[in-house]
Amino acid sequence: MPEKWSEPFLQRLQRSNIKNLFLAVMIGALAGYGAVLFKFVLKFMQWAFYRQSGEMLFFADAIPLWMKFVMPVLGGLIVGLVVTFFAKEAKGHGVPEVIQAIAMRGGRIRKRVAAAKIFASAVTIGSGGSVGREGPMVQIGSSIGSSIGQLFHIPSAHMRTMVGCGAAAGIAATFNAPIAGVLFALEIIIGDFGLMQFSPVVLSSVTATTISRYYFGDFPQFSIPQYSIVSHWELCFYPILGILSGFTALAFTKTLYTLEDWFEAIPIPEWIKPAIGGALLGAIIALVPEVFGVGYGAMNLALTNAMSLQLLFALIFIKILASSITLGSGASGGIFAPSLFMGCMTGGAFGMLLHTLMPETTALPGAYALVGMGGLVAGTTYAPITAILIIFEMSGTYSIILPLMLTCITATVMNSTIQRGSIYTIKLLKRGIDIQSGRGRHLLQHILVKEIMTQDVVTIPEHMPLSRIIWTFKTENAPYLHVVDEAGKLTGIISFRDIRAVLNEQDLMELVIAYDLATRDLVVVTADDTLHEAQERITRSGVSQLPVVSSDEKGLLVGTLTESAINAAYNSAVIKDEISGKD
């Protein structure tokens, strides 16, 4: 090809989005093979611990009692060492760390995280940890996406798309659900549904799903029941299921972080704590093998109406405890599968009660168990679109859409009203990181008002007459005049708008004073407040600047803070944060 034709084409290729699309396919392929590798490693780990690689329910009686106690402890000890001394990001369910990497480090994740997460999660689940493999695959895929982005020097503006491609590929390959993978990445990880993000994420998800289906076939993980609405009156019961799912989700979130705080407060080395969690978990597994590992076997029984009402109800709370102990102690695994498990049991128990009372107008309990799975995922993640689509893709039944929408939206709206953060973002809020639409507003929480306020403030005494106020506006060229008392304490603010009505009243020039004209219902900040607090007050009050007073009891006027100064400080902090993320 002549140089005069090839060079412009290469330049156009570099400027276009085509490069990102090629990288998205590469990320999808690597994440897809990562999912395949993770599944094989997981089976190997379970065989290494128990000499069995199938569902625990089918071989639980053949395992010695001592093994059910010892193996979770051994697995926890191994995971504790890996997390403490190799990659601390592998601890827990991983998705908050991915969101934090996008918000704080421009999407940069250490390359060792993928390998550490594969190993730590496989050991946790293989030894009996009551967690899921979907969260680990999100972190593994995201780590692959970040590594590819760094290798090809992708700009920070596009790095979060690369991370989202990996997350979508991880979910798609694990659940055999490419659409849900896309929506998970856009709804939770990236927080943006724009075309520039959508196209690469779709390609990555499709590529990973194709690889997963090549090795494992095109079939779901669960025994999906045939779903149909028996009566239109039945739709009235699904919002109730949404409420029940929402309360179960809240209980799971609360228990998880309560136990996490409890384990963090124990004054022992971090690498020992997962072993303690393993000991507690072993006692549970010995009595209730249904909560071993991911728990797909128990979910299949519930979906096929093969469980009693008492067992369905009991497994809700046992799974909450088992999963919270596993993750709270510092082991590695996801919360997606435990959420599906709890939702399955919640829906199954609710459906069994309904079907017992109204057998001719309600579906079998398995149908409610299927819908409950989506309801609880929505109630924990606050991602109803992802929850609806993942259950729809697994069932392949269009008639389930209406019940899913009613249940998932009810659970999401109720829980987001009761509790601000989802199971993912609560962890970040506990670290002082407030994620809103992908922006790291936490940066403003580390800058104090006194660091950027201006001390060049125009003040006037309370007794200054109107004539002098007008003269001050003319000579100082200030948008606001700050009225102070004899001690220097702020008592009001005068804007030009406040004096406009009396400008032509010559008789009032010496009669009206500053105290009479000033606005005294003031919104102020102190010098020791953070810019985040200042931004919140500016947004609520609708003003463009705030007076700054001293932090002591005197409350003296010390400066002023403008909205433009806050925005400039934020932009500067973002740049510094991106630079530090490259180091």
Side-chain angles (χ1 to χ4, degrees):
M1 181 180 292
E3 184 177 351
K4 66 179 181 178
W5 290 102
S6 61
E7 185 173 351
F9 172 76
L10 292 176
Q11 291 175 350
R12 290 196 302 271
L13 178 64
Q14 184 70 22
R15 289 195 303 268
S16 70
N17 196 39
I18 295 178
K19 178 181 179 181
N20 289 351
L21 298 181
F22 279 120
L23 293 181
V25 173
M26 182 185 301
I27 292 168
L30 291 174
Y33 279 109
V36 173
L37 174 63
F38 182 52
K39 288 183 179 181
F40 282 124
V41 173
L42 180 57
K43 284 185 175 293
F44 171 77
M45 286 298 176
Q46 186 173 314
W47 180 88
F49 282 108
Y50 295 99
R51 295 298 186 267
Q52 298 282 350
S53 59
E55 287 293 336
M56 178 70 162
L57 288 176
F58 303 137
F59 62 85
D61 294 337
I63 297 177
L65 185 61
W66 68 267
M67 188 175 287
K68 296 176 184 178
F69 282 100
V70 172
M71 293 308 169
V73 175
L74 179 60
L77 186 61
I78 295 171
V79 171
L81 293 171
V82 171
V83 169
T84 303
F85 298 107
F86 188 71
K88 63 180 180 180
E89 298 94 329
K91 177 182 178 181
H93 47 97
V95 176
E97 283 69 27
V98 174
I99 299 174
Q100 182 176 349
I102 288 178
M104 296 183 65
R105 296 188 293 274
R108 293 171 180 83
I109 302 172
R110 292 197 297 170
K111 299 176 181 63
R112 65 174 64 183
V113 171
K117 195 69 177 180
I118 288 176
F119 182 77
S121 297
V123 170
T124 297
I125 300 171
S127 63
S130 190
V131 290
R133 61 193 186 196
E134 297 76 22
M137 270 313 306
V138 170
Q139 195 171 15
I140 292 165
S142 298
S143 178
I144 291 172
S146 177
S147 298
I148 293 296
Q150 294 176 66
L151 180 65
F152 286 88
H153 305 290
I154 296 299
S156 296
H158 299 296
M159 274 295 290
R160 65 175 185 167
T161 302
M162 298 295 102
V163 174
C165 287
I171 287 289
T174 305
F175 276 116
N176 189 22
I179 302 176
V182 171
L183 268 296
F184 177 87
L186 297 178
E187 194 173 17
I188 296 177
I189 301 299
I190 300 177
D192 190 348
F193 287 82
L195 180 62
M196 294 296 288
Q197 290 78 31
F198 186 79
S199 301
V201 170
V202 168
L203 278 179
S204 186
S205 181
V206 170
T207 303
T209 305
T210 302
I211 292 172
S212 178
R213 288 179 179 179
Y214 176 79
Y215 286 96
F216 302 112
D218 184 11
F219 54 86
Q221 295 286 347
F222 309 105
S223 301
I224 302 298
Q226 290 296 322
Y227 185 88
S228 62
I229 297 176
V230 176
S231 169
H232 288 296
W233 289 104
E234 198 174 5
L235 293 176
C236 299
F237 300 122
Y238 285 103
I240 301 175
L241 178 56
I243 294 172
L244 295 175
S245 300
F247 280 125
T248 305
L250 289 173
F252 177 37
T253 304
K254 179 67 175 177
T255 306
L256 171 60
Y257 288 112
T258 297
L259 286 178
E260 187 176 274
D261 292 341
W262 184 78
F263 274 103
E264 287 183 357
I266 301 176
I268 58 175
E270 291 295 320
W271 57 273
I272 298 177
K273 294 177 182 179
I276 297 175
L280 298 173
L281 179 67
I284 297 175
I285 293 174
L287 297 173
V288 190
E290 285 85 354
V291 298
F292 177 96
V294 179
Y296 286 158
M299 281 188 267
N300 283 329
L301 292 178
L303 289 168
T304 54
N305 311 299
M307 275 191 179
S308 66
L309 175 61
Q310 293 83 352
L311 184 57
L312 287 167
F313 186 74
L315 284 177
I316 298 172
F317 304 99
I318 297 172
K319 187 68 173 181
I320 289 176
L321 182 61
S323 297
S324 299
I325 288 173
T326 304
L327 291 171
S329 63
S332 181
I335 57 93
F336 219 94
S339 297
L340 290 173
F341 186 104
M342 298 164 201
C344 185
M345 302 306 155
T346 302
F350 178 70
M352 187 167 291
L353 281 174
L354 279 181
H355 193 67
T356 301
L357 296 173
M358 295 172 286
E360 295 183 358
T361 56
T362 58
L364 292 173
Y368 287 87
L370 183 62
V371 176
M373 293 166 70
L376 213 125
V377 169
T380 52
T381 64
Y382 297 0
I385 301 175
T386 299
I388 291 168
L389 285 176
I390 200 166
I391 303 301
F392 171 66
E393 282 193 280
M394 288 193 301
S395 66
T397 306
Y398 182 76
S399 59
I400 201 175
I401 287 293
L402 281 180
L404 271 175
M405 292 173 69
L406 288 171
T407 303
C408 293
I409 294 299
T410 302
T412 304
V413 171
M414 186 187 79
N415 284 14
S416 60
T417 302
I418 296 173
Q419 182 172 266
R420 181 186 177 196
S422 70
I423 200 167
Y424 296 138
T425 58
I426 281 180
K427 192 169 188 176
L428 299 179
L429 288 171
K430 287 164 69 70
R431 298 173 182 170
I433 302 170
D434 187 4
I435 303 298
Q436 295 186 357
S437 301
R439 294 187 67 190
R441 294 190 63 184
H442 64 282
L443 294 174
L444 297 180
Q445 295 177 342
H446 301 290
I447 306 175
L448 299 180
V449 170
K450 61 186 177 184
E451 297 178 31
I452 67 165
M453 72 178 188
T454 176
Q455 296 178 340
D456 185 15
V457 183
V458 180
T459 62
I460 59 175
E462 292 178 320
H463 54 78
M464 177 179 281
L466 176 60
S467 60
R468 296 298 300 171
I469 294 173
I470 296 173
W471 177 257
T472 305
F473 268 116
K474 290 180 179 179
T475 56
E476 295 292 344
N477 192 27
Y480 298 97
L481 301 180
H482 297 77
V483 182
V484 296
D485 61 15
E486 295 179 356
K489 185 176 181 179
L490 180 69
T491 60
I493 291 180
I494 298 177
S495 67
F496 189 76
R497 184 184 304 171
D498 295 325
I499 67 171
R500 185 177 298 171
V502 294
L503 281 177
N504 297 322
E505 301 290 339
Q506 296 296 325
D507 296 337
L508 301 178
M509 288 296 172
E510 303 301 325
L511 296 178
V512 176
I513 61 175
Y515 185 83
D516 300 324
L517 295 171
T519 299
R520 290 189 289 276
D521 184 16
L522 301 178
V523 179
V524 302
V525 290
T526 69
D528 291 328
D529 284 337
T530 65
L531 291 192
H532 174 73
E533 294 169 323
Q535 181 67 62
E536 290 288 330
R537 294 176 194 179
I538 284 178
T539 302
R540 286 197 302 266
S541 60
V543 298
S544 60
Q545 71 176 46
L546 295 173
V548 183
V549 298
S550 59
S551 304
D552 55 24
E553 297 179 356
K554 296 180 180 179
L556 302 180
L557 180 68
V558 294
T560 185
L561 177 69
T562 63
E563 187 175 19
S564 59
I566 295 176
N567 292 333
Y570 174 82
N571 293 331
S572 176
V574 169
I575 294 173
K576 291 179 181 178
D577 195 60
E578 290 184 358
I579 293 173
S580 64
K582 295 178 181 179
D583 296 337

